[in-house]
Amino acid sequence: MFIQKKILTFICLFFVASLVIGQNSKNKQVKVLSFNILHGATTKGDFNLDVIAKVIKDADADFVSLQEVDYKTNRAKKFDLATELGYRTKMASIFGRAMYYDGGEYGEAVLSKYTFLNSKNVALPYTKGNEPRAALEVTTVLKSGDTISFIGTHLDHLRTDTDRISQATTINRIFSKNRYPTILSGDLNDVPNSNAISILESFWKASYKKSNPRLTYPSENPTIKIDYVMFYPHNKWKVITRKTLWDTVASDHCGYLVTLELQ
């Protein structure tokens, strides 16, 4: 009888421990979405923020990096797109200016289910006459109590890769000094094994599979991968799932959704 009680106690303790470990593991998981929103225009040109918000809500991401984000430009009808999408998705929002444009500003945004401890917007190098670019970083605390940083960026889009190379090099140099485990997400405007992506991957670990990189552009019939989620340190993150989100109206880019687990 005594032995049976000990066995029963052991089984109960094992069951409770398994539940606790499972919950802790879940609390350390984050869903990350990279999404170029075509400055809110949609592929129909009808400026429908609700269509864009639906893609984000359906993804149920914890962190979203948004590219081609307008702040009170004329073409965006003087809307603050980061705030509008944050309101529609019930997420905290922040905008980072890359340049002044069309009576307002243009750049990156981050949406988050978590509040921000701090933020930093880094201007990236560019050739005179080309579009300025930026990298927007936020630092936050997960449910598990772990502090992480999340960066959204958008590299130069021109056929020549001079600016992308210098921008990738700058991102590595600046964010390699980060104190906390970090995720890098965005439209990098280049394909796997290109010069710029190789520079980034010399520091960051990419989430995509080399054998199946999941194409992201154009949304109607994707032929190339230019949207990414990366992370550092390599041994601090584990890729759980990868998914491409197709919506031919919301944007000319597919969303790229990745679930990561902090180790």
Side-chain angles (χ1 to χ4, degrees):
M1 187 70 176
F2 176 71
I3 294 176
Q4 288 178 327
K5 285 184 177 179
K6 288 189 70 176
I7 293 174
L8 182 60
T9 300
F10 174 78
I11 291 173
C12 290
L13 289 173
F14 178 80
F15 179 71
V16 171
S18 298
L19 289 176
V20 170
I21 292 171
Q23 185 60 44
N24 286 341
S25 176
K26 188 175 181 180
N27 286 343
K28 288 177 177 283
Q29 287 187 7
V30 293
K31 292 175 73 175
V32 176
L33 174 63
S34 176
F35 195 28
N36 182 316
I37 63 169
L38 193 62
H39 55 267
T42 80
T43 57
K44 287 185 175 181
D46 60 357
F47 193 75
N48 191 336
L49 297 182
D50 290 330
V51 170
I52 297 169
K54 186 178 186 303
V55 174
I56 298 169
K57 288 190 290 185
D58 288 350
D60 192 31
D62 297 290
F63 299 97
V64 184
S65 66
L66 300 176
Q67 303 85 47
E68 294 196 26
V69 183
D70 281 18
Y71 174 82
K72 298 187 177 181
T73 61
N74 294 319
R75 70 177 177 181
K77 302 179 181 180
K78 292 298 182 180
F79 278 92
D80 171 356
L81 298 192
T83 298
E84 291 291 335
L85 290 172
Y87 173 77
R88 285 167 167 78
T89 58
K90 295 181 171 59
M91 301 177 77
S93 65
I94 187 170
F95 171 79
R97 185 185 72 239
M99 64 178 179
Y100 293 103
Y101 179 77
D102 191 28
E105 300 175 10
Y106 172 86
E108 328 301 322
V110 168
L111 304 181
S112 171
K113 288 184 178 178
Y114 300 89
T115 54
F116 308 129
L117 290 178
N118 54 60
S119 64
K120 177 171 65 176
N121 191 38
V122 177
L124 299 177
Y126 66 99
T127 303
K128 186 177 180 180
N130 292 350
E131 286 187 3
R133 301 289 174 163
L136 176 61
E137 179 191 42
V138 299
T139 300
T140 188
V141 180
L142 304 179
K143 290 179 182 177
S144 61
D146 296 284
T147 302
I148 68 165
S149 292
F150 178 77
I151 304 161
T153 193
H154 185 197
L155 301 191
D156 184 72
H157 66 287
L158 296 181
R159 189 178 297 274
T160 56
D161 63 1
T162 303
D163 281 5
R164 284 192 297 280
I165 288 173
S166 61
Q167 289 160 3
T169 302
T170 299
I171 286 172
N172 285 0
R173 176 176 55 81
I174 291 177
F175 297 109
S176 63
K177 302 171 185 177
N178 274 18
R179 176 180 177 183
Y180 304 110
T182 304
I183 299 169
L184 174 68
S185 172
D187 172 4
L188 304 183
N189 268 318
D190 224 332
V191 297
N193 299 316
S194 62
N195 291 327
I197 300 304
S198 296
I199 288 170
L200 288 170
E201 290 180 0
S202 69
F203 178 74
W204 307 87
K205 175 72 173 177
S207 61
Y208 68 93
K209 287 184 177 180
K210 302 290 184 179
S211 59
N212 181 21
R214 296 192 178 274
L215 309 181
T216 62
Y217 182 85
S219 59
E220 186 173 354
N221 182 26
T223 57
I224 58 175
K225 177 176 183 62
I226 57 176
D227 302 274
Y228 296 81
V229 172
M230 301 182 179
F231 51 85
Y232 183 84
H234 295 196
N235 64 350
K236 279 290 188 179
W237 297 98
K238 178 182 178 182
V239 179
I240 306 299
T241 61
R242 312 165 182 85
K243 187 176 181 181
T244 303
L245 308 182
W246 283 277
D247 189 309
T248 58
V249 175
S251 176
D252 57 342
H253 284 247
C254 297
Y256 182 54
L257 180 67
V258 178
T259 301
L260 298 174
E261 183 176 283
L262 186 62
Q263 302 296 287

